[in-house]
Amino acid sequence: MKILPQPGQVGPFLSSYVFSFFSTKNHCFHCAGYVPFGTPIVIGLLLPNQTVVSTIIWQWLNQSHNACVNYANRNATKPTPTSKFLQGYVGAVTSAVSIAVGLNVLIKKANKLKPTTRMIIQRLVPFPAVASANICNVGLMRHVELSEGIDVMDNNGNVVGSSKIAAKHAIMETAFTRVVLPMPIFVLPPIIMSYLERLHFLQKHRRLLLPIHSMVCLVTFALSLPVAISLFPQMSQIEVSRLEPEIALASDCKVVTYNKGL
């Protein structure tokens, strides 16, 4: 039988990370499967000399994966209709593809840039595209929480009400982690690879570039995930005075807890 560790028992930095790995809902869209399922997509996004078609395909795969992750790790105290999920999914994928393709087109039209500079900038395009789309993805996939609210609990774990304000805080915190997470993943590998590709050994053995590129992406992804998740605990707290008046009337607690999701 699996014993679920409580947030805070393993230190403030790793509590949310460990909690997410020991979730009672075990499937590939929880954090335990985020790195192995997400790394091939990251590698594809960071491949050099992307065409418009390849950009669209990789951004679509990435946001499809992110949509499922956001949906699986949402605050599930309120049921979400399938139609709402599909609306959010279409909006998230559309925003990601539009941003990525638009930036690539602008860079290709920038004739004043040197070829080397243009190549480096093109490799960095996935970060603003993914970061911006991730914010849209979280908001669209979890917008039902904003309209219906999420449950908030007292010190004994009893639900004292449903709060839209707490839902807003939960989504904002999650969106922030989705910006921090791709920052090292989509910035460090292009910089590292631009240096390694100039090495005489790799210029003679071009076949090693893809395996090395893949390893750099995997290591960066694996190290970045716990940092991003640990920014905010999954079970967050908020002062009752900042929430709706009816919640303050329903509880004597000064602080209540809510599940922000991951």
Side-chain angles (χ1 to χ4, degrees):
M1 183 178 67
K2 185 182 291 183
I3 299 175
L4 181 65
Q6 297 301 313
Q9 287 184 346
V10 289
F13 181 75
L14 291 177
S15 61
S16 295
Y17 186 55
V18 173
F19 189 77
S20 67
F21 267 75
F22 284 87
S23 173
T24 53
K25 297 179 180 178
N26 289 313
H27 49 68
C28 62
F29 296 120
H30 278 288
C31 291
Y34 201 25
V35 172
F37 283 90
T39 299
I41 299 174
V42 170
I43 295 170
L45 283 167
L46 291 176
L47 290 174
N49 303 318
Q50 295 270 9
T51 64
V52 173
V53 175
S54 65
T55 299
I56 291 173
I57 291 173
W58 286 115
Q59 288 290 345
W60 166 67
L61 287 173
N62 183 54
Q63 290 306 319
S64 296
H65 181 241
N66 285 344
C68 292
V69 169
N70 290 331
Y71 183 79
N73 293 281
R74 72 196 188 284
N75 183 307
T77 55
K78 299 287 190 302
T80 303
T82 305
S83 60
K84 296 291 185 181
F85 171 81
L86 293 174
Q87 289 174 12
Y89 169 72
V90 171
V93 171
T94 301
S95 63
V97 171
S98 301
I99 294 168
V101 172
L103 288 174
N104 274 321
V105 170
L106 287 174
I107 291 170
K108 288 180 179 179
K109 289 184 176 180
N111 298 322
K112 294 182 180 180
L113 295 175
K114 296 179 180 179
T116 307
T117 306
R118 182 183 295 143
M119 184 185 70
I120 294 173
I121 294 175
Q122 279 184 317
R123 284 188 168 186
L124 294 174
V125 162
F127 170 64
V130 169
S132 303
N134 281 356
I135 295 174
C136 298
N137 202 319
V138 172
L140 291 168
M141 296 306 299
R142 297 178 56 179
H143 70 282
V144 173
E145 297 174 30
L146 292 173
S147 58
E148 298 186 7
I150 59 175
D151 290 346
V152 293
M153 297 162 284
D154 60 18
N155 297 332
N156 298 318
N158 299 317
V159 176
V160 296
S162 182
S163 172
K164 296 179 182 179
I165 297 176
K168 181 180 178 181
H169 280 268
I171 292 174
M172 288 177 62
E173 290 171 355
T174 305
F176 183 72
T177 63
R178 293 296 192 273
V179 173
V180 174
L181 177 59
M183 190 179 297
I185 297 172
F186 290 107
V187 172
L188 292 180
I191 294 174
I192 294 171
M193 289 308 299
S194 64
Y195 168 76
L196 293 178
E197 287 170 359
R198 293 197 296 267
L199 296 178
H200 180 68
F201 175 77
L202 288 179
Q203 288 181 352
K204 289 180 63 177
H205 301 84
R206 305 292 293 179
R207 293 181 179 180
L208 294 177
L209 283 175
L210 183 58
I212 293 174
H213 180 208
S214 303
M215 186 57 63
V216 170
C217 291
L218 176 62
V219 172
T220 309
F221 200 171
L223 294 176
S224 302
L225 183 60
V227 175
I229 290 177
S230 301
L231 291 174
F232 300 101
Q234 181 173 356
M235 301 304 294
S236 297
Q237 293 185 324
I238 188 170
E239 295 176 356
V240 174
S241 59
R242 298 172 62 185
L243 300 179
E244 292 85 347
E246 57 268 23
I247 293 178
L249 295 174
S251 174
D252 296 330
C253 298
K254 293 185 178 180
V255 176
V256 291
T257 304
Y258 61 91
N259 180 5
K260 120 182 137 53
L262 290 172

